Amino acid sequence: MVDIVHAAASRAAHRHGTDFERWLIARSFRMVVPLCRLGLLVATLMLLVVDPLLFANGTWGDRPQHRQLPLWHAAAALYFAVFLLRAPRLAGHRARKACLAWCMALGAALFTWFGTLSWVLSGDMSTYAIFLLTMVCVFSYPGALRRALGVASTAALSTSILWFDGGSVFFTSGAAFNLVALTVVALLLDAYLMATNRALFDEKRLVEHERARADAVLFNALPMSIANELKRNNTVATRRHDRVCVLFVDIVGFTRFAADHPPDAVLQVLDTVFSAFDTLVEHHGVEKIKTIGDAYMVIGTQGAGPLAQLALDMLAAVDAYNRHAGGALQVRAGMHVGPAITGVIGLQRLHYDVWGDAVNIASRMESTGSAGRIQVSDAVWQELRLVFRFRCRGTIAVKGKGPMCTFYLLGRQATADDDPARRADGRRRAADLRPSLAA
């Protein structure tokens, strides 16, 4: 057990380290690209404008180091140009990591060369100091490579100065000590910046995690399109729909059931049944609006067909629950299709809701229906009569609407290419329910 725990912790640490490395390389790449653009501009300007002018007015003479400066500017321009040409083609992490390693190594060699020229010509190493600090601050490269290159380039620069210029001035002027001190400061700054980058990455991960949790709550409470609109605009526009199909499902006699059973048993039954309904809603691609006590409301904006099949699957799910739990729950459902308005109301505990005639009539279809039946309006029958089977109930009095002809939805029409297994899909999904009914 201990080994398993240690292995899991090791894998988690490795994933965190890999994610940090990827973030670090991507961040370095974003910083190096504009720096190379600036370097290419300066090197090209020196090569094409400044170098010829300095040779022409005699500022630069025949010393070998003077003749090397245009070569160095050409090499620097080529160095920056190659990186800028390669960078857009490098999308993978490994390719970018390798490119940054080569960029640091070649940059160290290039600026060690320039540091030698600068010291021999003017006794100045400020450009090399700028490079060393730039490599520390910009090239956020994981591991010890960056520090090793910094130490190696300093050692190479010191050796080169001693070889070409002798050691008297280099040591007596304090330049050698300054170079060593600069390298130590660069190493300390490197360690500090790496720790800062890791802290920044950890904070970024924490913020992303909390944002993901907040988004999960929001997307669970509201449809995804509505939640995204709310995040973008801090408000949701009310929408008018010409045809919305509304389905109400109610558990018959649940008030008496709740009075006869303990609260935890009542909650368990509701949770089991409504969780099965939630799974079916997601499967059929429609929108759950809300639950009101033991009633469940769903809408669909892509026609009445998905909601009709959903209603049939809901009845099958309740039958499966009764078989496995030994219960006797019954539901009745009502459907109507018509115009409606959707929107989000309230400032706290935001609620996505639907209003309109379609909602009122669908509610009446449910309340005037029969247990174990799905009662639908004439509008639903007109839309689905070629795809589903119905039985005409006749004309009933509907509150606020008067006499209406209604139908009971029985099932899908049998066709030559119908797959019996497909028609039983809702029953198979519902059969996975394994609830337990407390006495």
Side-chain angles (χ1 to χ4, degrees):
M1 175 63 72
V2 174
D3 290 340
I4 294 176
V5 172
H6 286 173
S10 177
R11 287 194 297 270
H14 176 71
R15 285 196 300 271
H16 183 273
T18 302
D19 291 343
F20 174 63
E21 180 181 291
R22 289 178 179 274
W23 175 80
L24 205 59
I25 295 298
R27 185 169 179 267
S28 297
F29 231 75
R30 290 194 299 269
M31 296 174 69
V32 170
V33 169
L35 189 65
C36 285
R37 291 197 186 104
L38 179 60
L40 177 61
L41 177 64
V42 172
T44 304
L45 183 64
M46 293 294 294
L47 180 64
L48 300 180
V49 178
V50 177
D51 289 352
L53 288 177
L54 292 177
F55 274 112
N57 64 20
T59 302
W60 287 355
D62 296 330
R63 296 184 64 180
Q65 289 78 14
H66 284 150
R67 290 194 296 271
Q68 288 184 44
L69 284 173
L71 293 176
W72 189 91
H73 290 142
L78 180 63
Y79 165 77
F80 293 127
V82 168
F83 180 85
L84 291 173
L85 289 174
R86 289 282 297 163
R89 298 181 174 87
L90 302 176
H93 167 68
R94 290 185 178 180
R96 287 189 167 191
K97 184 178 179 181
C99 180
L100 281 179
W102 281 105
C103 187
M104 286 192 299
L106 291 175
L110 197 62
F111 280 89
T112 299
W113 177 17
F114 189 84
T116 304
L117 296 177
S118 180
W119 172 261
V120 172
L121 290 174
S122 62
D124 178 60
M125 291 186 296
S126 58
T127 304
Y128 177 78
I130 293 173
F131 158 74
L132 197 60
L133 295 178
T134 300
M135 188 168 69
V136 169
C137 298
V138 176
F139 287 88
S140 299
Y141 195 86
L145 178 61
R146 184 175 53 175
R147 295 189 294 273
L149 285 173
V151 173
S153 65
T154 299
L157 177 60
S158 301
T159 303
S160 178
I161 290 174
L162 291 173
W163 179 269
F164 290 106
D165 198 47
S168 57
V169 178
F170 184 58
F171 287 110
T172 57
S173 66
F177 175 79
N178 291 339
L179 186 59
V180 172
L182 176 65
T183 305
V184 172
V185 169
L187 291 175
L188 294 175
L189 184 60
D190 178 276
Y192 171 76
L193 290 177
M194 188 58 69
T196 302
N197 283 330
R198 184 170 289 278
L200 180 63
F201 173 75
D202 291 340
E203 186 69 22
K204 177 177 174 291
R205 286 281 295 268
L206 180 61
V207 170
E208 289 175 349
H209 175 70
E210 293 301 324
R211 183 183 293 117
R213 288 181 58 190
D215 287 348
V217 173
L218 187 62
F219 290 143
N220 194 44
L222 301 173
M224 184 172 292
S225 60
I226 301 299
N228 285 328
E229 181 180 351
L230 185 64
K231 288 174 61 180
R232 286 193 306 270
N233 306 325
N234 208 30
T235 185
V236 176
T238 302
R239 290 175 173 80
R240 181 180 298 276
H241 303 269
D242 293 332
R243 286 183 68 81
V244 173
C245 188
V246 183
L247 169 66
F248 280 93
V249 180
D250 183 73
I251 301 178
V252 180
F254 196 79
T255 301
R256 181 181 296 275
F257 175 86
D260 295 339
H261 291 80
D264 57 341
V266 174
L267 184 61
Q268 181 183 10
V269 170
L270 273 180
D271 181 64
T272 302
V273 173
F274 283 178
S275 293
F277 287 1
D278 289 345
T279 302
L280 293 171
V281 165
E282 185 177 0
H283 174 79
H284 288 285
V286 292
E287 292 289 350
K288 172 186 175 181
I289 298 301
K290 58 186 173 183
T291 59
I292 310 170
D294 58 325
Y296 195 99
M297 179 183 178
V298 191
I299 69 166
T301 57
Q302 304 299 320
L307 251 65
Q309 188 59 55
L310 170 65
L312 294 169
D313 289 349
M314 285 177 163
L315 264 62
V318 174
D319 289 342
Y321 175 89
N322 289 331
R323 287 195 302 273
H324 293 296
L329 292 181
Q330 286 188 307
V331 297
R332 61 172 177 255
M335 283 178 59
H336 179 64
V337 60
I341 297 172
T342 60
V344 174
I345 56 175
L347 297 176
Q348 297 180 348
R349 297 183 181 179
L350 299 177
H351 178 60
Y352 179 69
D353 213 340
V354 187
W355 305 270
D357 206 39
V359 178
N360 298 331
I361 295 179
S363 178
R364 298 289 184 265
M365 291 296 102
E366 178 272 313
S367 61
T368 60
S370 305
R373 298 281 191 173
I374 306 166
Q375 182 171 235
V376 304
S377 64
D378 180 72
V380 175
W381 176 77
Q382 291 285 352
E383 182 175 334
L384 300 180
R385 59 194 174 90
L386 299 180
V387 182
F388 289 85
R389 294 181 292 110
F390 297 88
R391 181 170 68 82
C392 181
R393 182 185 183 186
T395 301
I396 63 171
V398 177
K399 182 179 178 180
K401 303 302 293 185
M404 290 186 68
C405 182
T406 65
F407 300 80
Y408 285 130
L409 173 64
L410 303 180
R412 185 176 287 272
Q413 291 277 15
T415 59
D417 58 350
D418 241 359
D419 182 3
R422 178 174 174 270
R423 293 200 307 269
D425 187 44
R427 291 184 175 84
R428 288 200 307 275
R429 290 193 301 274
D432 290 334
L433 296 173
R434 295 293 186 271
S436 58
L437 246 170

